[in-house]
Amino acid sequence: LVNVVCFKIGDHIYSAEHVNKLYNMVYRNTTHEFNFICFTEKPEGIDPHIDVRPAMHDNEGLSHWWNRMALFKKGALSGPCINIDLDVVIHNNIDELFELDDEFYMVPSGIFGNDSYNDCVVKFNADKHNFMWDEFSENRRLLIPLHGVDFAMTSILKLCKYKHKLFPEKWFWRFGIKEQKHKDNKFCHFMKMNETPKQHEARDDEFVKKHWR
């Protein structure tokens, strides 16, 4: 059984609404069974079907998006996992995602205008890919000043030459760039770049109303 995992730290951007709607989107768009886990320090309002677990930042000295790194710590999770950001809207069947092999997967570079892999969706096995936490924990003073978590994860994979794979580029597009939208897209990333709104800030958009629910 695959664990679909998200984390909600604080409530300055994301709320229980984002967690619940991500759960709903996964449920609507796959025929596979899954466990849905949310790490948060504020569980109020989260759907009872969701496995809510305490956020790990207090124990590890992590803040906001850096909590992603603790997902790879030995014992935090088990088995195959898919981590999806709360600013992702799923709008097509994602059975293929569940059916990928047991390797470490990230989003290819270039889709969202940066040179590193993107971490809006990450597939990994919590029992075999602990190297990500181990390398980060040992080198966090070097990695945290970099551009962000996705850049740090890319650096660990490439510089340390860990085996990994990339999702198909056609699965992903960024809200606000119509040229990227295609019938084969599965995930829309609401990145906060060039004043692109998050999905809750674009509630009146027809795409958002149809799929973010």
Side-chain angles (χ1 to χ4, degrees):
L1 199 62
V2 175
N3 296 311
V4 178
V5 188
C6 68
F7 57 91
K8 182 180 78 70
I9 307 302
D11 53 10
H12 64 295
I13 297 179
Y14 304 114
S15 65
E17 178 186 24
H18 292 80
V19 178
N20 296 339
K21 288 184 174 179
L22 180 58
Y23 169 79
N24 292 339
M25 289 185 291
V26 175
Y27 185 82
R28 285 198 307 272
N29 287 289
T30 184
T31 61
H32 291 275
E33 294 185 2
F34 60 91
N35 295 321
F36 194 97
I37 301 169
C38 177
F39 288 94
T40 184
E41 79 280 37
K42 294 186 177 182
E44 295 80 11
I46 294 179
D47 191 298
H49 292 97
I50 295 171
D51 180 358
V52 177
R53 302 184 184 182
M56 295 173 278
H57 62 285
D58 290 337
N59 295 328
E60 303 298 348
L62 302 173
S63 62
H64 298 299
W65 47 80
W66 289 102
N67 276 264
R68 185 186 320 281
M69 304 307 292
L71 300 178
F72 307 110
K73 185 178 180 181
K74 187 174 182 179
L77 294 161
S78 62
C81 300
I82 301 168
N83 174 216
I84 305 178
D85 276 356
L86 292 177
D87 60 357
V88 167
V89 169
I90 303 169
H91 57 99
N92 244 329
N93 182 277
I94 57 172
D95 282 351
E96 290 176 280
L97 174 63
F98 284 79
E99 295 161 4
L100 291 172
D101 59 28
D102 206 31
E103 298 298 335
F104 195 105
Y105 281 83
M106 290 188 72
V107 180
S109 60
I111 300 174
F112 303 124
N114 51 22
D115 295 327
S116 64
Y117 301 149
N118 190 272
D119 58 353
C120 66
V121 180
V122 181
K123 188 174 188 293
F124 63 100
N125 189 308
D127 299 321
K128 64 180 283 190
H129 295 135
N130 308 121
F131 66 81
M132 186 60 72
W133 168 259
D134 296 339
E135 295 287 355
F136 171 75
S137 183
E138 183 176 348
N139 299 289
R140 68 166 68 193
R141 291 187 178 181
L142 296 174
L143 293 169
I144 286 182
L146 299 177
H147 300 296
V149 181
D150 46 6
F151 194 90
M153 292 174 66
T154 303
S155 300
I156 290 171
L157 290 172
K158 288 188 172 183
L159 296 179
C160 300
K161 297 184 178 180
Y162 284 107
K163 184 178 179 181
H164 62 282
K165 295 183 178 181
L166 302 175
F167 300 121
E169 288 186 22
K170 66 181 181 181
W171 285 7
F172 301 87
W173 66 289
R174 192 181 101 194
F175 186 80
I177 302 183
K178 294 181 180 179
E179 293 77 10
Q180 289 186 341
K181 191 173 181 181
H182 189 271
K183 63 180 178 63
D184 293 325
N185 294 149
K186 299 178 183 294
F187 304 95
C188 179
H189 195 190
F190 282 71
M191 299 181 70
K192 200 67 173 178
M193 296 175 63
N194 302 324
E195 302 305 316
T196 300
K198 294 293 187 181
Q199 62 269 50
H200 59 278
E201 298 169 325
R203 293 179 185 273
D204 293 334
D205 182 86
E206 290 302 316
F207 173 83
V208 176
K209 287 193 287 187
K210 180 177 179 181
H211 298 288
W212 191 59
R213 54 185 178 83

